[in-house]
């Protein structure tokens, strides 16, 4: 992909840099933190090839940013760990820019009134 010379000269470097494959994968998983995905589905949803997604997942796992079980991958539930990863901040900002920031009150309005059956044994 190319850009015109005026854009090249007048745009900050940070704005020209695209998100890396790990940033895109982590951003996708964080946006769907309540689910686990296979690598092929992550590739399909992010528009990346499966090989870079698989490499990204392995690197993110080495940093304890994602969890892996069988063929499924999910973002870690360790919020401190995520907050310490600079790519997560960039991905969150990009997704907020593209889709709008999440509003907790809107989520609460649509939340079920009863607990999920899987949490009943924990109470």
């Amino acid at each position: 992909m190319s850009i015109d010379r005026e854009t090249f000269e007048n745009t900050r470097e940070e704005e020209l840099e695209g998100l890396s494959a790990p940033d895109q994968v982590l951003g996708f998983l964080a946006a769907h933190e309540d689910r686990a995905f296979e690598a092929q589905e992550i590739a399909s949803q992010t528009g990346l090839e499966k090989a870079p997604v698989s490499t990204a997942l392995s690197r993110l796992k080495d940093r304890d940013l994602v969890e892996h079980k069988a063929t499924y991958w999910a973002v870690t539930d360790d919020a401190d760990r995520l907050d310490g990863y600079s790519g997560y901040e960039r991905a969150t900002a990009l997704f907020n820019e593209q889709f709008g920031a999440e509003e907790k009150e809107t989520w609460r309005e649509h939340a079920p009134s009863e607990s999920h059956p899987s949490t009943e044994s924990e109470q």
Side-chain angles (χ1 to χ4, degrees):
M1 183 172 103
S2 65
I3 59 174
D4 62 77
R5 184 69 185 194
E6 182 179 350
T7 301
F8 174 79
E9 291 174 356
N10 297 318
T11 306
R12 294 189 346 248
E13 186 171 348
E14 300 84 45
E15 294 175 307
L16 292 176
E17 292 177 348
L19 289 176
S20 67
D23 291 346
Q24 290 181 58
V25 169
L26 186 61
F28 172 78
L29 289 173
H32 301 90
E33 65 185 349
D34 61 333
R35 313 227 3 119
F37 297 88
E38 291 184 314
Q40 182 60 46
E41 178 67 12
I42 296 168
S44 173
Q45 293 294 320
T46 59
L48 298 168
E49 296 292 323
K50 186 176 176 187
V53 167
S54 295
T55 300
L57 288 166
S58 294
R59 290 180 180 164
L60 292 167
K61 184 176 186 293
D62 290 344
R63 296 178 180 171
D64 295 323
L65 294 166
V66 298
E67 298 171 5
H68 182 230
K69 188 183 287 186
T71 59
Y72 293 92
W73 297 85
V75 69
T76 182
D77 59 0
D78 185 341
D80 292 334
R81 189 127 191 105
L82 283 174
D83 288 343
Y85 179 66
S86 63
Y88 175 71
E89 184 178 315
R90 287 185 62 217
T92 300
L94 177 68
F95 287 124
N96 284 344
E97 183 180 306
Q98 289 178 347
F99 304 113
E102 293 182 7
E103 298 176 9
K104 290 183 181 180
E105 288 306 314
T106 303
W107 279 90
R108 288 187 181 113
E109 289 173 15
H110 299 284
S113 57
E114 297 179 14
S115 298
H116 189 276
S118 66
T119 61
E120 290 176 7
S121 61
E122 296 174 5
Q123 296 174 354

